[in-house]
Amino acid sequence: MNPLSDITPAVMAALREKFGERLQENVRLANYTTAHVGGPADGLIVAASSQELADIFTTLWQYACPVYLFGSGANVLVSDSGFHGIVVVNHARNIKIDMHHVTPSVWAESGANLAGMARQAALRNLSGLEWATTVPGTVGGAVFGNAGAFGSNTAASLKMVEILHPTYGKQEWPVEKLDYGYRSSWLKRNPGQVVVLAARFELSVDQPEAIQARLSDYSNRRRSTQPQGASMGSMFKNPEGDYAARLIEAVGLKGTRIGGAQISEKHANFFINDKDATASDYWSLIQLARTRVSEAFGISLELEVELVGDFSISSKSMKSNRKSN
């Protein structure tokens, strides 16, 4: 969850003075998320470069503003009441590929498209990120949550991240400092402590035929197993030794719909915005899946998506509905 303290009128006035027209107010976040759900943010600012991103956060930290960083809008569920603070949309997308050292690498700003970066590397016969060509989201989101697929992940090739610290400014952190685990990192366990500005991945040279074969294989597997339509990606982390999709399907919830949200009939760990879904619809499906799986298997499903805003209202509404039924 995120801090929900309102921004004072004085602070809002100062932000208007600082950012001018770049500060958009009362912006509907559904327009910035891949699931197309979410209420308004008090303010929204777009960062076009890593330097702009650093400057924006430095200012917002000075005013102690509640702030949340958006990349592509995947992997987040924004509440219907929105976010009482400033959302920064990360459009810092510069990518540089270094072929001149013994170990080639790719450097990218945190708002760069992860799949696009991986494809650029593959076109230069660089291997190590083929798995990422099928994964939605940004480089910063992948670094934050240790995104992965097909037996690999971000930590496997990440060498260094450039971060902004509220006290110490810009720093370079080696991958070891991020303390990665399955869909987890120091960053994810300590949200809001630093901002990822850019990252460098070390890769290896491989035969183009071998790289292309992997790309084709991963793309075909992704298309055959994952649904089309508006979603936020995988809803739950896979429990150790098992799969969230298998558990949800085993309790008979595949295809279940609440309001405009539906558990995909193709892959039960994807929840689709099928018809004007609200965050409350999603939240009800999440709680239903958790309850059924817990009752049947004694397993507590852990969210992979990030919750943005206040979901206590949704929880109260669910309890009220259960009492009235």
Side-chain angles (χ1 to χ4, degrees), residues 146 155 174-182 184-187 189:
N146 195 18
V175 63
E176 293 80 11
K177 192 165 183 176
L178 299 180
D179 191 23
Y180 276 122
Y182 169 64
S184 177
S185 70
W186 182 93
L187 299 167
R189 294 188 295 273

Side-chain angles (χ1 to χ4, degrees), residues 294-317:
S294 177
E295 289 173 349
F297 300 104
I299 294 173
S300 178
L301 290 177
E302 183 180 351
L303 283 173
E304 183 169 329
V305 304
E306 295 287 309
L307 299 178
V308 181
D310 185 5
F311 281 85
S312 62
I313 298 174
S314 298
S315 297
K316 291 174 183 176
S317 175

Side-chain angles (χ1 to χ4, degrees), residues 81-97:
S81 60
F83 179 67
H84 296 300
I86 305 298
V87 166
V88 179
V89 178
N90 189 357
H91 285 178
R93 297 168 173 166
N94 194 22
I95 297 172
K96 297 177 182 178
I97 295 177

Side-chain angles (χ1 to χ4, degrees), residues 21-52:
E21 293 183 355
R22 293 175 62 198
L23 175 64
Q24 304 172 55
E25 297 184 47
N26 196 33
V27 178
R28 186 168 176 262
L29 293 177
N31 297 327
Y32 291 85
T33 65
T34 58
H36 306 314
V37 298
D42 292 340
L44 183 145
I45 307 170
V46 176
S49 68
S50 57
Q51 184 57 56
E52 279 193 10

Side-chain angles (χ1 to χ4, degrees), residues 19 38 48 81 108 126 148 223 228 231 234-235 314 321:
F19 294 109
S81 60
L126 297 180
R223 280 197 301 269
Q228 300 296 311
S231 79
S234 296
M235 182 62 70
S314 298
N321 289 339

Side-chain angles (χ1 to χ4, degrees), residues 3-23:
L4 299 171
S5 55
D6 292 327
I7 298 177
T8 66
V11 168
M12 205 67 186
L15 295 180
R16 291 189 195 104
E17 179 71 21
K18 170 68 176 180
F19 294 109
E21 293 183 355
R22 293 175 62 198
L23 175 64

Side-chain angles (χ1 to χ4, degrees), residues 114-115 118-119 127-136 146-154 156 182-183 211-227 234 238 243 267 270 304:
L114 178 67
R119 283 192 292 268
S127 178
L129 289 172
E130 291 93 333
W131 63 269
T133 58
T134 66
V135 177
N146 195 18
F150 305 115
S152 190
N153 56 34
T154 304
Y182 169 64
R183 303 295 183 266
I211 292 175
Q212 188 56 52
R214 286 191 288 272
L215 294 181
S216 297
D217 176 43
Y218 295 159
S219 179
N220 290 335
R221 287 162 64 183
R222 183 71 74 178
R223 280 197 301 269
S224 66
T225 59
Q226 293 190 5
S234 296
N238 288 324
Y243 295 94
H267 192 305
F270 281 72
E304 183 169 329

